[in-house]
Each structure stands twice: as C-alpha cells, then as structure tokens.
Amino acid sequence: MITKVTYLIATILSVKAFPQNIQLLSQLPSDPIEQPDSWAWGRHPKEGFGYKARNSLTLEQCIDNPETAGTVHCDGYDYSYPVELCISMPRLAPLKVCADAKFPKDFCVSNAANMVKAKGCQKFLTDMCIMDISLATSQPCADAQYPKDFCTSNANQMVKTKGCQKFLTDMCTMDINLATSQPCADAEFPKDFCVANAVKLIKANGCQSYLTDLCTADVSLAVSSDCADAKLPKEFCVNGDLRMIKAKGCSKFLGDICSQSLELANSADCLPAQKSVSVFRCTRSRDICLSQLCELKVRDKGSCPQ
C-alpha cells in the first residue's frame, strides 16, 4: 500500500514539473503564452501524456487588444474602455466594456441599429428608434415614446406599438380598413368619422355611442340586426320608406308607419299595430280607415272620410 502511494506522489510531482522524455499526444507550441508547468496535464492509459492550455487571454492582453472584447477569451474579465475608444470603434460600443460610457446623441443616432441596446444611449432611445420603421417596431424600442406625427405617418406599422398608444384614435382614423382591424378595437372614434363610414363601422366598439346616428345614415342599416338596439327617431321611421316596418328600432311607431300606405295597412306585418295606431292616423284617409289596420280603432266604418 505504501509503495502505491509513494508511486502516485512521485508521478504527480513529475507531471507538475513537466518531466522530460515522455510520450506527448501532440507537439508543444513554439511560443506558448504560459509556462507548460502551469498547464493542465493528464495521462491516457494507452496514448501517453496530453496537455491543454487555458482557453483565455490574460486581463492585460484583453485590455491592450480591443479587438478581443466580446470574445470568449475575455468575457470573464471585468474591465472597461474610455468613451473615446468606444466611439472610435463602434463595434465595441454595445459591449460590456463600454457599458459605462455616456455617448453623445449624434453618435447614438448615427449608429442607431447597433446602439439601440447600449446603456449609454438610452436617453436618446426615441431619437434612435424613429430612424427606421423596422427598428421602431422592434423589441429594443418597446419603451420608446413616439411623437404623434411619426405614429400617424406610419399608422399601419405603429398601431400595435406601446409608444404610440396615446395616439391610437389618430392612427386608426387614417385608414378605414385599419379602423376595423383588431388593433383598433379599443379606439374611440369621433362622431363624424363613424357616420361617414357607417356601413363599415356599425359594429366598431368605438362607434357604439353614436349607434343611432349610424343607423339613421342608411336605411339598409336601420333595418338590420346591427341596429336592433338603436332608438330611432319618429321622423326617420315615418319617412315613407316601407322598409322601416322591419326596423326594430321603429316598433314604437309601427302604427304611424303602417298608416302611410294601404299596402302596409292591410299587410300581416301591421296586424300588431291595430291596438297602437291612433284614431287620428286612421281617419286621415278613407282607404286607411277601411283597412284592417283600423278595425279596432274605427268600428263604425260609416264615420270614415268620404
């Protein structure tokens, strides 16, 4: 047992001292960056001794050679370069070695694509992001606050961006197709815009407060299910258009609508109006007075107008 321990200690000491006349897996480099006795040595059962140098540079080497910054050889060190060097070598500017540098606005903006993530340029984030629409919609620009004219000029691309949400209505009203899209679902539209585009915006959340105005902008809308909850005014319902008999929003004026024509007065659609139609409406015309619409209100047909 003692013999084995003695042999093991002797082997370790001989390896650490880089023993001569051993079988190497490969040749030593002609100009090693570190002394071989500081390397990691090991012995393979069949293939002899092998060695491996550390896969890194010294701190001094990293500092003296800026081109090595950001590589695996220097990532483990904590060091930084002066702002002048970071500016003279834009590749370094976004890296850790330039994280503490405070860059001037013109440098940040001129190199926006590379500098948008740089800590030293964050105070100019919006100025950088508006340099390119694709940059403005990217993740690094998520916290940028954009001016109104930039948002509206690029409405289709910017409608989803956080930095333009305070101008959502302004962007959505730039294009009717955009106004009806999902990103504009929460936009509050002005009345004139809603009415001018009533057919397309009848279902838009941002126009529901003007539902009656939209429904009265087009008779085909007024009689549709989209206007079922609209409270339509009497003058709109009783306008001589026979289609209004189908409008749910005009049901309270059904008697007035039905008394506009003999065709309607005798139709099955007007039977529900027999109780609500006024005597005044029934006695304005002999034909209407004699119609089935007025059977309940004028039982003595002899009193009908001649």
Side-chain angles (χ1 to χ4, degrees):
M1 179 65 178
I2 295 176
T3 303
K4 290 183 178 180
V5 173
T6 303
Y7 175 77
L8 179 59
I9 293 174
T11 302
I12 293 174
L13 292 175
S14 65
V15 169
K16 185 174 181 181
F18 184 40
Q20 302 297 318
N21 301 320
I22 63 173
Q23 180 186 359
L24 298 177
L25 298 180
S26 59
Q27 297 297 313
L28 286 170
S30 58
D31 186 19
I33 60 175
E34 293 180 339
Q35 292 303 313
D37 59 1
S38 69
W39 295 3
W41 289 88
R43 182 177 178 82
H44 191 278
K46 295 183 180 180
E47 299 180 8
F49 282 93
Y51 64 88
K52 181 182 180 182
R54 291 189 304 180
N55 187 25
S56 64
L57 302 175
T58 65
L59 176 59
E60 292 74 17
Q61 289 172 321
C62 291
I63 293 175
D64 294 339
N65 298 276
E67 65 275 5
T68 63
T71 67
V72 295
H73 306 293
C74 297
D75 274 349
Y77 296 122
D78 186 14
Y79 65 102
S80 60
Y81 289 134
V83 64
E84 294 79 14
L85 179 59
C86 295
I87 292 175
S88 66
M89 298 181 67
R91 184 191 74 80
L92 301 179
L95 302 181
K96 179 181 177 182
V97 291
C98 292
D100 295 328
K102 302 299 181 183
F103 298 108
K105 179 178 179 179
D106 56 350
F107 176 75
C108 295
V109 174
S110 299
N111 299 277
N114 292 324
M115 299 305 297
V116 71
K117 295 181 180 180
K119 178 181 176 182
C121 281
Q122 290 307 294
K123 64 184 296 185
F124 309 118
L125 182 62
T126 296
D127 300 281
M128 292 187 290
C129 292
I130 61 176
M131 294 300 293
D132 188 305
I133 188 63
S134 61
L135 188 61
T137 56
S138 67
Q139 184 56 39
C141 289
D143 293 328
Q145 294 299 314
Y146 299 108
K148 180 179 178 179
D149 57 349
F150 180 77
C151 294
T152 54
S153 297
N154 301 280
N156 283 287
Q157 297 96 323
M158 300 301 295
V159 70
K160 295 181 180 180
T161 58
K162 175 182 171 184
C164 281
Q165 290 308 293
K166 62 182 176 180
F167 307 118
L168 183 62
T169 295
D170 301 281
M171 291 187 290
C172 293
T173 53
M174 296 298 293
D175 184 335
I176 184 59
N177 292 322
L178 185 60
T180 57
S181 67
Q182 183 55 40
C184 290
D186 295 327
E188 292 294 331
F189 300 118
K191 179 178 177 179
D192 57 350
F193 180 73
C194 293
V195 174
N197 301 280
V199 174
K200 289 189 175 182
L201 292 175
I202 191 66
K203 295 182 179 181
N205 291 335
C207 285
Q208 292 308 295
S209 57
Y210 310 116
L211 183 61
T212 296
D213 300 282
L214 270 69
C215 293
T216 55
D218 190 306
V219 173
S220 62
L221 276 182
V223 300
S224 71
S225 59
D226 292 322
C227 289
D229 295 328
K231 303 303 181 182
L232 304 177
K234 182 177 180 179
E235 60 272 19
F236 178 75
C237 296
V238 189
N239 62 4
D241 194 316
L242 304 185
R243 289 177 294 174
M244 298 311 298
I245 197 175
K246 300 290 187 181
K248 186 176 179 180
C250 289
S251 58
K252 64 184 297 184
F253 308 118
L254 186 59
D256 301 285
I257 299 171
C258 292
S259 63
Q260 292 181 106
S261 77
L262 182 60
E263 179 186 356
L264 280 180
N266 285 321
S267 70
D269 291 325
C270 284
L271 287 177
Q274 287 180 333
K275 293 181 179 181
S276 63
V277 66
S278 66
V279 174
F280 172 75
R281 283 288 184 182
C282 284
T283 56
R284 291 181 63 190
S285 162
R286 180 175 179 79
D287 290 340
I288 299 299
C289 186
L290 295 174
S291 71
Q292 66 177 9
L293 173 66
C294 297
E295 284 185 1
L296 299 181
K297 291 300 175 73
V298 185
R299 294 185 180 277
D300 180 10
K301 300 302 181 182
S303 64
C304 290
Q306 298 300 314

mmCIF file of all heavy atoms in Angstrom, residues 26 30 90 92 213 237 252 269:
data_model
loop_
_atom_site.group_PDB
_atom_site.id
_atom_site.type_symbol
_atom_site.label_atom_id
_atom_site.label_comp_id
_atom_site.label_asym_id
_atom_site.label_seq_id
_atom_site.Cartn_x
_atom_site.Cartn_y
_atom_site.Cartn_z
ATOM 1 N N SER A 26 0.650 15.510 -28.767
ATOM 2 C CA SER A 26 0.976 16.435 -29.855
ATOM 3 C C SER A 26 2.171 17.263 -29.429
ATOM 4 O O SER A 26 2.615 17.186 -28.290
ATOM 5 C CB SER A 26 -0.231 17.334 -30.169
ATOM 6 O OG SER A 26 -0.609 18.056 -29.028
ATOM 7 N N SER A 30 5.476 26.432 -30.381
ATOM 8 C CA SER A 30 6.826 27.005 -30.392
ATOM 9 C C SER A 30 6.947 28.204 -29.461
ATOM 10 O O SER A 30 8.007 28.484 -28.926
ATOM 11 C CB SER A 30 7.195 27.426 -31.829
ATOM 12 O OG SER A 30 6.241 28.378 -32.314
ATOM 13 N N PRO A 90 -16.982 51.583 -33.175
ATOM 14 C CA PRO A 90 -18.423 51.387 -32.923
ATOM 15 C C PRO A 90 -18.810 49.954 -32.588
ATOM 16 O O PRO A 90 -19.813 49.729 -31.910
ATOM 17 C CB PRO A 90 -19.062 51.843 -34.244
ATOM 18 C CG PRO A 90 -18.096 52.831 -34.801
ATOM 19 C CD PRO A 90 -16.743 52.290 -34.437
ATOM 20 N N LEU A 92 -17.449 48.074 -30.523
ATOM 21 C CA LEU A 92 -17.299 47.876 -29.081
ATOM 22 C C LEU A 92 -18.419 48.546 -28.290
ATOM 23 O O LEU A 92 -18.733 48.133 -27.179
ATOM 24 C CB LEU A 92 -15.954 48.452 -28.609
ATOM 25 C CG LEU A 92 -14.679 47.901 -29.234
ATOM 26 C CD1 LEU A 92 -13.481 48.617 -28.644
ATOM 27 C CD2 LEU A 92 -14.567 46.403 -29.000
ATOM 28 N N ASP A 213 -77.048 57.456 -34.701
ATOM 29 C CA ASP A 213 -76.605 58.297 -35.820
ATOM 30 C C ASP A 213 -76.144 57.446 -36.996
ATOM 31 O O ASP A 213 -76.397 57.786 -38.149
ATOM 32 C CB ASP A 213 -75.469 59.207 -35.362
ATOM 33 C CG ASP A 213 -75.890 60.123 -34.230
ATOM 34 O OD1 ASP A 213 -76.560 61.129 -34.506
ATOM 35 O OD2 ASP A 213 -75.548 59.814 -33.076
ATOM 36 N N CYS A 237 -88.351 57.087 -38.863
ATOM 37 C CA CYS A 237 -89.166 55.886 -39.064
ATOM 38 C C CYS A 237 -90.341 56.155 -40.013
ATOM 39 O O CYS A 237 -90.647 55.340 -40.901
ATOM 40 C CB CYS A 237 -89.700 55.389 -37.722
ATOM 41 S SG CYS A 237 -88.413 54.838 -36.575
ATOM 42 N N LYS A 252 -92.066 51.177 -31.896
ATOM 43 C CA LYS A 252 -92.991 52.014 -31.137
ATOM 44 C C LYS A 252 -93.788 52.966 -32.040
ATOM 45 O O LYS A 252 -94.780 53.554 -31.609
ATOM 46 C CB LYS A 252 -92.238 52.800 -30.069
ATOM 47 C CG LYS A 252 -91.233 53.796 -30.610
ATOM 48 C CD LYS A 252 -90.453 54.477 -29.487
ATOM 49 C CE LYS A 252 -91.362 55.295 -28.599
ATOM 50 N NZ LYS A 252 -90.597 56.048 -27.568
ATOM 51 N N ASP A 269 -97.805 42.212 -41.509
ATOM 52 C CA ASP A 269 -96.779 42.854 -40.685
ATOM 53 C C ASP A 269 -97.369 43.949 -39.805
ATOM 54 O O ASP A 269 -96.777 44.320 -38.781
ATOM 55 C CB ASP A 269 -95.686 43.452 -41.565
ATOM 56 C CG ASP A 269 -94.841 42.380 -42.253
ATOM 57 O OD1 ASP A 269 -94.611 41.329 -41.620
ATOM 58 O OD2 ASP A 269 -94.426 42.594 -43.396
#
